[in-house]
Amino acid sequence: MDLQAFRALLSDEGQSLLAALGDAGPGGEPESAAAAALRQSSPALVAAAEEQVRLRGQAAVKFGEFAPRMYFTPDLVELSSHLAVAEYKLDRVREMGVVLVEPMFLGSGADALVLSREYYTLAVDPDPLTTAMAVANEQALNGRTEPALFADCEDVAAFGGRGEADFIDLMRPPGPDGGHDPESCGPPLSWALEQVRSTGLGWIRLPPGPAPGAVPDLGRADEAEWISYDGEVQELVLWFGLGPRGKPADITGRRATLLPAGASLTARGLPGPSVRPAGRYLYVPDPAVVHAGLLAEVAEDIAGGPVDGAGTLLASDELRHTPFATAYEVIDVPTHAPELEGSVEFVVSAADGPKVLIAVPVPARLPQAS
């Protein structure tokens, strides 16, 4: 979609067409109102509206009830984290004590929209369609008549910042090799780091799995936080301004946060855990924990360690509940027995070669005695 097509969707005709198509629902024959709107509108406007309805349906899993009123591009849907992730980061921004914030290179735009719920937000992006959608989406997401988000389309690298905190989105689609090199983005990570450090407050949003060595020393941020939602890692956030103002961190802290539970795990400076054989219980760590390199912390919490030859799989001889890993109990299954519903197979190393273990999920919480 280009800017002209988007502006056409904002017209009375475009809004009527979106409403009619949205009411008709996906698939099947269009209702009479939608059919009439399709006949009366230009093919270009119909194509833009149909795409928008399709994208709204895809975005519903991330934006929930707000999606049918918002505007999207395919990249915006793909690169957005769940709305709960942006709302969680807003909670952390409250601790910074700022009033005017500047999201730059808006990416999905979700962070700027959520920040504008409580802060005057000057959003800057070189793409006119991105800034126009941000303005339209603020009303859909925040429902205010007086806007708190002011979007400018200009060269961000030449932009003279006026805010107290900078938030830069470098979430981009993977390259041809499937990897993420933030230095090859527009703008490069080195520019983003310099910009946020000059302000002293803010964050840089990155894909959760940057290429090895792509973020040296984790940008010397105060904290690097990997955030997952419902067991799927969403993004890496480099936080600045959590410590003394203007002082780079000597060592970047690492954090894994699991939503919607809101559980956070931070590095405790533990040595690498010893490899061990499989035990009665197996634990599959949340991907945010794996990306953050916090297996040692989870292993200590469960009194276990990594299973020999099984990657990030952990094992323990006792059951210890943790929000940071899914627990399974290994069971004995007779040969040729029917498959047990809900069971999972794990392949681990053994003295005589690979061994398959059958395990069943352990409830997250033990039942309470009545």
Side-chain angles (χ1 to χ4, degrees), residues 35-358:
L38 289 169
R39 288 193 299 270
Q40 296 169 5
S41 300
S42 69
L45 182 57
V46 169
E50 288 178 335
E51 180 192 38
Q52 201 54 226
V53 171
R54 177 179 58 82
L55 292 173
R56 286 173 171 181
Q58 295 175 0
V61 69
K62 295 181 177 180
F63 291 89
E65 63 181 305
F66 301 105
R69 304 194 299 274
M70 296 177 68
Y71 299 91
F72 301 95
T73 64
D75 279 351
L76 193 156
V77 174
E78 178 185 354
L79 300 177
S80 291
S81 293
H82 195 282
L83 184 61
V85 176
E87 292 171 337
Y88 161 77
K89 289 187 290 185
L90 173 62
D91 289 339
R92 297 203 70 184
V93 170
R94 292 190 184 104
E95 303 170 7
M96 293 182 172
V98 297
V99 176
L100 176 62
V101 300
E102 291 174 340
M104 299 180 177
F105 291 95
L106 299 180
S108 70
D111 286 326
L113 296 172
V114 171
L115 285 167
S116 69
R117 291 177 178 175
E118 298 189 16
Y119 300 97
Y120 290 108
T121 304
L122 178 56
V124 188
D125 193 282
D127 178 44
L129 179 60
T130 297
T131 54
M133 280 191 171
V135 172
N137 283 339
E138 187 201 12
Q139 177 64 31
L141 196 64
N142 298 338
R144 269 199 305 257
T145 56
E146 290 295 327
L149 183 144
F150 306 91
D152 283 348
C153 177
E154 58 181 279
D155 180 2
V156 180
F159 174 73
R162 297 183 291 276
E164 298 172 272
D166 288 333
F167 305 97
I168 303 177
D169 193 331
L170 296 186
M171 185 76 77
R172 301 291 185 269
D177 61 352
H180 294 278
D181 180 8
E183 197 59 31
S184 65
C185 293
L189 174 61
S190 55
W191 176 88
L193 289 169
E194 182 179 352
Q195 180 67 33
V196 178
R197 286 172 183 156
S198 67
T199 306
L201 293 169
W203 78 55
I204 299 173
R205 178 177 182 253
L206 292 163
V215 189
D217 300 321
L218 292 173
R220 296 193 67 193
D222 290 330
E223 186 176 85
E225 181 176 23
W226 284 262
I227 306 173
S228 68
Y229 185 87
D230 201 19
E232 181 178 346
V233 67
Q234 304 276 304
E235 59 187 52
L236 163 61
V237 183
L238 301 180
W239 289 91
F240 296 82
L242 301 180
R245 181 70 68 93
K247 183 179 184 300
D250 295 327
I251 299 177
T252 298
R254 287 175 290 116
R255 177 188 296 264
T257 296
L258 283 55
L259 300 175
S264 282
L265 180 68
T266 55
R268 301 197 288 263
L270 301 177
S274 300
V275 173
R276 54 157 292 160
R280 180 179 177 183
Y281 296 97
L282 300 176
Y283 295 80
V284 178
D286 186 273
V289 170
V290 175
H291 280 280
L294 299 178
L295 289 180
E297 283 71 13
V298 177
E300 182 180 69
D301 292 345
I302 64 171
V307 179
D308 186 19
T312 59
L313 185 67
L314 302 175
S316 178
D317 297 319
E318 56 186 280
L319 176 61
R320 293 194 180 184
H321 290 283
T322 172
F324 304 109
T326 301
Y328 295 84
E329 183 177 8
V330 178
I331 58 175
D332 291 325
V333 179
T335 306
H336 305 304
E339 182 177 345
L340 187 63
E341 184 177 357
S343 64
V344 179
E345 292 186 354
F346 296 96
V347 180
V348 301
S349 296
D352 55 351
K355 181 180 180 181
V356 177
L357 299 178
I358 308 297

Side-chain angles (χ1 to χ4, degrees), residues 21 24-31:
L21 289 174
E29 294 296 322
E31 299 292 338

